[in-house]
Structures are given as structure tokens and as C-alpha cells.
Amino acid sequence: MLNSTGELEFSNEEDPEIISQLTSLALSDGKSSAGAPEKTGYPDSVYVMAANIFQGIRIEKSAQKVLIKYGNEPLRSFSESEDQSFQRLSYELAFSALKYQDILETILIDSCIFPSTTIPDHLSSLIIVMLYDFQDRKFQTRVLSDNEESISEVQEVENLLNSFKIKLAAALARCRIKHDALSIYHILPETVRKQELRASTLPLYAWINTCKISPEEVYNNLKRRGYNKVKSVLHVDDKVFAVDQHCYDVLIFPSHLKNDLINIDLFKDYKLIFQDKSRSLAVHSVKALLNMDDDILMVNTGSWYTVAHMSILTNNNTSKVFVCGVQSQAKDPDLKTLFTKMGCKNIEILRETFINIESKDHRLQKVKVILLLPRCSGLGVSNPVEFILNEHEDTEFLKDHSQGGISVDKLHILAQQQYEQLTHAMKFTKAQAVVYCTCSVCPEENEAVVKKALEFQDLGNKVQPYRLSPPVLPLCSLKEIQLSTDKFFRMEPSEITNGCFLSILTRERDPSETVSVKDVLARAAAKGLLDGIELGKSSKREKKKKKSKTSLTKAATTDNGIQMKIAEFLNRETKASANLSETVTKPSLPQKNTAQVGASSQTRKHKLAPHPAVPTFMKNTCPSRPRERQTHFIRPRPEDRMVALKPIEIILPPVFMPFSSPQGIRSRMPTQHLYCHWVAPKPLVPTCLPTPSLSRKGEKPKDDTRSSLLRPPRRWL
């Protein structure tokens, strides 16, 4: 029981008008709205949970400044509810009491509750949170439901506050006058007031679980419930939603629709998931850097919804999502149940903390992208309670936000931790990119950490160093473009979004590694971009070119001895060709007809010249035409079409028919085999047989060696 050492009953001789004015004061915002519903208080279990949260995050003072003593033992809670709305109410009440801790303690001392009553120390936290709610209700009696379970400690504290109601209201008024403020809301630091103002208008962000439902089905479902799709939800009081410009699977809702949305099936069945936009920006940046079979390592994820979002974005790939730092095996069943409900199948949990994981761990050999979400001050977040529930498990986050800033010493500690994690991520030799994302706007945690890590990165390994890369997200406004000029992606806190910082580090391209066309086509085919298109094999010419390039590279490194061997080989080939030419009888003809001698096919026994003469044969088999037209058809034979010819013997039967031909042609035929001459009639000379020179313009002459050997010689006009 709470024992009073003073008078708990007050006389009714005080002015009723003054009492009415005192009890009408509000603490939270100093504003009164006629349309706002009257606050009736919270269930007893919410007060107990809020008191335990406050006990852990309260601001501790030095011994000389201690006004009220707080115990170390938490209150016993009889009904632990896992409902998120229950937790949200408890965190909001504890955070509000934390922001006004100094004012509430002053009111308790000024109203003589302390030290006039003997209050156990472990109930001090409960008195603080209930006093905040009591004045927020304008000192009106709490309305209790019939089926609500009552807690004795809550009932005792409530009776004490009701008995000191008038003195509490008077102490509140004196505090407001002392600070010359319309309400003690204006006593708060300006940064905290701006934060609360942004939090009151901050929209809700939710991403679509595409493993369970398509975006079009979500749109249709919401439209059936009376929601209209618009371009912007700002300053809109109706039931509307919009699609985010940076992330195609993220929807935006007005903040006043939270209670309505959490009760629909889309959110109950994990088809829509509330989450801060900064986390969606991070996972979409990772997605843009991935190939089909690349794995991801996630560090300091905070919320498991971030892991689930990353898994769902890579559901169609063969990627794995590794999550490190889950040391408690007790969480495994709950996590597996959550991931199963959400349709996630490619998540693997690692027990080790990130710093203790070796960079050459065999499990992480296919990890190409590391997503680093380090613990930070979070000074870019407008609504810390929502962020705690969705992203962060550390309640110290609330303590920093309650004062509108963070101490310099703590900021340096956080920056050092972030730097160590980033440098460790850069040691993974198989990784090709690191995505670094925070919800802070402090340069000490963002640009300074990244630049320091790049400057002092280890260059001793046989891998390419990291460099700063531009954002992979679309820049949707001029302001975003201006903020990203130095390759960092920034979003400042505003009435539509929290602040965040995002940086992408990628390894410099190795100049010795070139991506061939075949590799590009193979990746495109793997992603389904070439459906219905067959990839042909590389032609012989391409293989010849590759082979020739390789041979040239090797030849450049050989010594003079190889050159001498090549010269000896050419000399031997020249002598062999000379000996072969002596066995063939060649009459002396004018120089322009020398090629026709090698083209004769009317001999019974004829030996062909070696393959170096083949290009000459092809160039001179065409009839005599004007030289300027001839140049259009004369093209050297490509190297890959040259064929080494072998000497053959052709025996033809004797021909008996009239024959008249120039002496030059008769003289070149061996007389021991031919019995007569055969020449077609003169009118048919130009068109007796097709030749390569009569092909269409631009076409290459056909390489028909066999047919050319059997053709009779043609007369020159």
C-alpha cells in the first residue's frame, strides 16, 4: 500500500473556476481539437509494460541531481501480449514519458507526492508513465472495460494520482508559466518538436510480397475496399494509396489509415508488410547488382522483414541469402515459421557475428554482394517508435531521440563500429560490391566512414580495390540529383519520408578480364531475355581470328631462334617448288597469258602448281574486260577459304573433230597425248562456260577447284 505522510484529502474551499482551468491544461501538444475523440486511458497491462520499458531507457542522473529514486526490478506482468498494437501503445507511452521525464519529476516534487508519501522505488516508473497519461486525459477519470483484468499496483498508483489531482494540475500550470510557454510541449527542444511534427504526417510504407500476390491483385483488392490510387498521399484525408517512385513494389498510405489497414487480410496474411522505406531502398540496390546465381550476405538486418524482402526479390534466381549474428537457437522456430508464412525459401542463418566470420569461409564463396545495415544513431528517423517496432530491437535508440540528439562520445563509438564492419566486409575477396545503408543524417556515420574505409583499404591482396559507384536507384527529383552529385544517395527527413544514407562500393574492373559477346548472350539467355532466339555457334572465321590473335601474342614473346627456323623452312619450300616446276613443260608466252597455262585442263597428264599459285589462278581466269571494272571483282581469297591442292592425273580419250585454235594454245599441249584440238565455235566463245568473273557484283567467286580443272581453256578476245 502507498502510505501518505501528509493530508490526502483536500478542502473544497478552493475556487472551482481555478480548479476547472487547471484541470483543462494539456501537456502533450497544447492544442485542443473539437473533433478529436476523448482519451479514456489504457489497459492495466499496457501501463505495466510501458513502465518496464521506461525503466530500461530512463535518463540516469548524478547523485547530486537525483530527485526520485527508481528501482532495478521490473514489474511483474500477468498477461504478456504479442499483439503488435499492444506493443505499440506501450512503447509510445514509455517514449512520451521519457521525453518529459524532467518535467514530470518536477511536477511530482512540486505537488508534494514526493517525499510526502512512502512509495516503493520499483513503482516510480509506473507513477511517471501513469502521470503522463493522467494529464494527457486532462486529469479525467479512466474508463475501465468490464472484461479487463486489473493489476493491483496499477490500481494503487491510480488512486494516489486521483487524490493529488488538484495539486498536480497546479504544479503543471506553474511549470508552464515558469518557462513562458503556451504548453509544456513548447518546453521541449526544437529538434524534438520538429520530429514530432514530421511524425504526425509521415506516410506509411508497405512492400508487396510478390511470392503470394501480384501488384495488380493488390491494387484491385484495395479498390474493392474503397481505396483509390493517386500520385501523392500527402495532405489527403481519404482512403487512398500511391506507388513509390524508387521501388516498384512499395505502396504509400496516409498515416491516419494505420488502424484500418492492420485489420485487413492483406496485412494479416503477410501479403503487404509495413516497413521503413530506407530498408526497401537498400534491398533494391542489392538486387540491381546481382547476377542470376550470386549469393548475398546481410549484416545487422534489425528487422526480419528486411531479410524476407531480400529473399522475395531473389526468389526467381538461384541466389542464397545469408544472415549472420543470430546466436540464440530459441529464435529458430519463430523465424522458420515467419519465413514459411511469407514464402521465403532461400534464407540461411549463420550463428557467428559478422566480425568473427572469416573472409574465406567456404560457405560464402558465391557471395558477391554484402548488405551492411550497421547500428546507427538514427537521427534521420521521425517516428522512432515505429522504427523500433519494425527495424530496431535496441531500446537505447529511444533514449537518443528523446533528447533530440546524441552525445559526441557515443557518436564516435558508433562511427568506429561502423568503420570496422565496413572494412571487414571489404576483405571478402569473392565479393564484388558492398551496399552500406544507414537511417542517419550525421556525416560522421556516413560519408566519413565510407571515405575512410576506401582510403585505408588493404591493397595487398590479389584483387581489385574498391571504388565509390553512383547510385543504382532512380533519381526522381532535382533535389535528389543535387544530393547525389558526389555518388552518395541521400534522403533528408521530411513530411513524406525519413532520412537515410546509401553508398555503393564496387571493385574496379580488372583490365585483363574482358567480357565476350558469348558471355553476355549467355547471361541474357539465363535471365529469359532471349526466349525463342537460338544462339549460333561461333563461325570458323571467328575462331581463326581468335587463334591468329593468340598466335601473334605468343610470337611476340619468342626469340630470334624461332625466326631462323621459319626462314629455313621457307627456303626448303622454295627449293621444292622449283624442282616441281622443272618437271612441267612451260612455253614462253606473253606475260599476260602466263596464268592460262596453269589453268589448262585438256591434258591427259597434268601436274598442278603448289597452293601459292592458287590466288593467281583465280585472279586471271576472267576474260579481258576494261581494267576499271575488273577491279570491282578482284578480291584476295580469305585465309580461311584457301585449300592446299595436290597434283592429280587426268586421262581423257582422243577427240576427233575439226579444230582450229591459235598456235599459242596448241603449242602448250603435250603432243604425245592429244590427237586433235577442240575449240568451241567462235560465236559461243564469250558464253561457253561460266567463270568467276561473270558472277554478280559484290559476290565472291566460288571456290570450285575441281570444276576449274576440267574446264577447257578460253580464248582471249
Side-chain angles (χ1 to χ4, degrees):
M1 290 292 293
L2 301 177
N3 299 322
S4 174
T5 58
E7 188 68 30
L8 297 183
E9 299 295 334
F10 299 95
S11 64
N12 296 327
E13 297 178 356
E14 299 185 23
D15 191 347
E17 184 177 353
I18 296 177
I19 296 176
S20 177
Q21 293 176 357
L22 292 175
T23 56
S24 64
L25 294 175
L27 177 67
S28 58
D29 56 4
K31 301 176 183 178
S32 60
S33 56
E38 293 185 0
K39 297 183 179 181
T40 59
Y42 300 99
D44 289 6
S45 56
V46 172
Y47 289 122
V48 172
M49 184 175 183
N52 290 333
I53 296 172
F54 178 82
Q55 177 70 22
I57 63 177
R58 64 182 177 83
I59 300 173
E60 298 182 0
K61 301 178 181 179
S62 61
Q64 295 80 8
K65 297 182 179 180
V66 170
L67 300 178
I68 298 176
K69 294 182 180 180
Y70 296 89
N72 297 322
E73 298 180 1
L75 295 175
R76 184 176 54 178
S77 180
F78 296 94
S79 59
E80 290 290 341
S81 176
E82 298 296 333
D83 183 63
Q84 190 175 12
S85 61
F86 174 88
Q87 295 180 4
R88 179 176 290 102
L89 293 175
S90 301
Y91 273 98
E92 287 177 349
L93 181 57
F95 182 61
S96 298
L98 180 63
K99 288 187 293 185
Y100 297 101
Q101 178 180 343
D102 290 341
I103 299 174
L104 294 173
E105 289 179 352
T106 301
I107 292 175
L108 288 174
I109 298 296
D110 194 18
S111 62
C112 299
I113 290 184
F114 285 95
S116 61
T117 57
T118 304
I119 302 175
D121 292 344
H122 70 279
L123 293 181
S124 298
S125 297
L126 183 61
I127 292 176
I128 290 290
V129 297
M130 293 189 68
L131 174 59
Y132 173 82
D133 178 60
F134 191 34
Q135 61 78 34
D136 199 31
R137 300 197 314 265
K138 300 180 180 180
F139 300 101
Q140 300 299 315
T141 305
R142 181 169 62 118
V143 178
L144 301 175
S145 59
D146 297 335
N147 56 353
E148 182 181 345
E149 181 181 0
S150 61
I151 300 176
S152 59
E153 290 86 351
V154 175
Q155 298 297 323
E156 292 178 6
V157 171
E158 186 173 26
N159 293 333
L160 174 66
L161 295 177
N162 283 327
S163 63
F164 279 85
K165 176 171 62 176
I166 298 176
K167 287 194 173 184
L168 289 171
L172 174 61
R174 286 191 294 270
C175 181
R176 176 180 60 81
I177 295 171
K178 178 182 177 181
H179 291 86
D180 192 19
L182 296 176
S183 69
I184 60 172
Y185 163 77
H186 295 90
I187 303 175
L188 293 176
E190 184 179 1
T191 54
V192 177
R193 285 186 277 123
K194 288 183 177 180
Q195 175 184 294
E196 288 191 358
L197 183 61
R198 289 195 304 266
S200 63
T201 61
L202 190 68
L204 305 171
Y205 290 86
W207 53 271
I208 302 172
N209 186 350
T210 53
C211 285
K212 305 188 73 172
I213 193 171
S214 65
E216 290 74 16
E217 292 175 336
V218 173
Y219 303 158
N220 295 332
N221 191 312
L222 291 173
K223 289 178 180 178
R224 288 194 298 268
R225 297 178 180 274
Y227 288 83
N228 296 320
K229 186 178 179 181
V230 295
K231 292 184 178 181
S232 175
V233 301
L234 193 61
H235 306 304
V236 178
D237 296 331
D238 299 332
K239 298 175 68 174
V240 296
F241 70 94
V243 180
D244 185 68
Q245 294 179 326
H246 298 96
C247 308
Y248 63 88
D249 61 343
V250 174
L251 301 184
I252 312 173
F253 299 91
S255 57
H256 67 273
L257 298 176
K258 183 66 175 284
N259 294 331
D260 181 58
L261 291 171
I262 59 178
N263 294 320
I264 65 177
D265 295 336
L266 289 175
F267 287 90
K268 290 181 178 180
D269 298 337
Y270 295 101
K271 296 178 180 178
L272 277 176
I273 295 93
F274 285 120
Q275 195 167 28
D276 187 68
K277 181 180 176 178
S278 63
R279 297 319 190 211
S280 297
L281 293 174
V283 296
H284 274 274
S285 297
V286 173
K287 171 63 177 176
L289 298 170
L290 289 176
N291 291 320
M292 290 295 294
D293 57 346
D294 293 345
D295 292 345
I296 308 108
L297 176 61
M298 301 185 67
V299 184
N300 295 343
T301 55
S303 172
W304 293 110
Y305 290 152
T306 308
V307 180
H309 197 183
M310 188 76 262
S311 172
I312 289 168
L313 286 180
T314 58
N315 184 57
N316 295 329
N317 301 1
T318 58
S319 304
K320 282 186 178 181
V321 180
F322 291 92
V323 186
C324 60
V326 184
Q327 299 178 353
S328 175
Q329 296 184 2
K331 294 184 178 181
D332 284 357
D334 297 336
L335 292 178
K336 291 180 180 179
T337 302
L338 174 65
F339 293 148
T340 301
K341 290 180 180 179
M342 300 185 72
C344 305
K345 301 177 181 178
N346 58 343
I347 299 175
E348 186 169 337
I349 298 175
L350 306 179
R351 298 294 176 196
E352 304 92 331
T353 59
F354 178 60
I355 296 297
N356 294 330
I357 296 178
E358 295 291 337
S359 59
K360 296 182 180 180
D361 194 307
H362 68 279
R363 298 169 296 181
L364 308 177
Q365 293 304 303
K366 292 180 63 179
V367 169
K368 300 300 181 183
V369 183
I370 299 177
L371 175 56
L372 183 58
L373 302 170
R375 181 173 176 266
C376 62
S377 63
L379 294 180
V381 176
S382 300
N383 193 338
V385 172
E386 287 292 338
F387 197 81
I388 278 283
L389 295 175
N390 296 332
E391 308 298 334
H392 218 286
E393 296 180 357
D394 189 358
T395 53
E396 288 288 328
F397 186 78
L398 294 177
K399 182 185 294 186
D400 299 331
H401 275 261
S402 66
Q403 305 303 310
I406 185 173
S407 64
V408 177
D409 294 339
K410 189 171 184 179
L411 186 62
H412 288 167
I413 294 174
L414 290 174
Q416 182 62 27
Q417 294 174 354
Q418 295 155 1
Y419 170 74
E420 292 175 356
Q421 291 182 348
L422 182 56
T423 53
H424 186 65
M426 297 168 66
K427 293 179 182 178
F428 286 75
T429 57
K430 298 295 184 180
Q432 298 299 314
V434 177
V435 177
Y436 179 85
C437 181
T438 71
C439 55
S440 174
V441 293
C442 295
E444 294 83 355
E445 299 179 277
N446 300 332
E447 296 91 341
V449 172
V450 175
K451 292 179 180 179
K452 183 180 178 181
L454 289 174
E455 181 180 358
F456 295 101
Q457 62 179 311
D458 185 9
L459 302 178
N461 297 328
K462 297 181 180 179
V463 293
Q464 293 298 109
Y466 276 97
R467 64 179 178 183
L468 190 62
S469 296
V472 295
L473 297 169
L475 303 178
C476 304
S477 65
L478 180 60
K479 186 176 182 180
E480 291 181 4
I481 296 175
Q482 293 173 349
L483 291 174
S484 304
T485 53
D486 53 356
K487 297 184 180 181
F488 294 118
F489 183 87
R490 302 180 183 88
M491 294 188 70
E492 295 181 346
S494 64
E495 58 184 356
I496 61 174
T497 183
N498 288 323
C500 73
F501 171 86
L502 194 144
S503 176
I504 297 177
L505 306 180
T506 57
R507 291 196 185 276
E508 295 181 2
R509 184 177 297 276
D510 191 348
S512 64
E513 296 180 0
T514 57
V515 181
S516 63
V517 177
K518 182 179 178 182
D519 295 335
V520 175
L521 293 176
R523 289 182 181 181
K527 293 182 179 181
L529 302 178
L530 300 179
D531 292 342
I533 301 177
E534 296 182 0
L535 300 178
K537 297 181 179 179
S538 59
S539 63
K540 293 182 179 179
R541 180 174 299 179
E542 293 178 355
K543 294 180 179 179
K544 290 273 187 178
K545 290 181 179 179
K546 292 181 180 179
K547 189 175 180 181
S548 63
K549 291 180 180 179
T550 306
S551 63
L552 288 175
T553 305
K554 293 180 179 179
T557 61
T558 57
D559 54 6
N560 295 332
I562 298 178
Q563 299 294 337
M564 296 297 296
K565 293 181 180 180
I566 294 174
E568 293 176 2
F569 173 77
L570 293 177
N571 291 334
R572 289 196 302 269
E573 289 295 321
T574 304
K575 292 179 181 179
S577 177
N579 295 334
L580 183 63
S581 61
E582 291 179 357
T583 60
V584 181
T585 303
K586 292 183 180 180
S588 60
L589 291 176
Q591 187 174 357
K592 67 177 182 178
N593 293 330
T594 55
Q596 298 183 29
V597 178
S600 175
S601 61
Q602 296 302 319
T603 59
R604 292 183 179 181
K605 189 175 182 180
H606 179 66
K607 294 184 179 181
L608 296 177
H611 68 275
V614 175
T616 306
F617 169 77
M618 292 302 298
K619 291 179 182 178
N620 296 283
T621 51
C622 59
S624 178
R625 295 290 179 92
R627 192 171 298 274
E628 59 273 13
R629 290 198 60 186
Q630 187 176 355
T631 57
H632 294 287
F633 298 97
I634 298 175
R635 287 192 292 182
R637 183 187 302 274
E639 184 182 355
D640 59 338
R641 298 181 65 98
M642 294 179 64
V643 182
L645 302 180
K646 298 180 179 180
I648 61 173
E649 183 175 311
I650 301 176
I651 301 177
L652 298 177
V655 179
F656 301 95
M657 63 183 300
F659 194 88
S660 62
S661 66
Q663 284 295 110
I665 300 178
R666 184 182 300 127
S667 62
R668 69 177 178 173
M669 297 181 180
T671 57
Q672 66 270 23
H673 294 295
L674 286 180
Y675 300 96
C676 61
H677 303 284
W678 174 42
V679 175
K682 289 183 179 181
L684 299 177
V685 169
T687 58
C688 61
L689 284 175
T691 62
S693 63
L694 298 178
S695 60
R696 295 181 181 178
K697 183 177 181 180
E699 292 184 358
K700 295 182 179 180
K702 296 183 179 179
D703 188 13
D704 195 353
T705 307
R706 183 178 300 176
S707 62
S708 64
L709 293 174
L710 299 178
R711 292 173 188 163
R714 301 192 59 189
R715 299 182 60 185
W716 293 91
L717 298 179

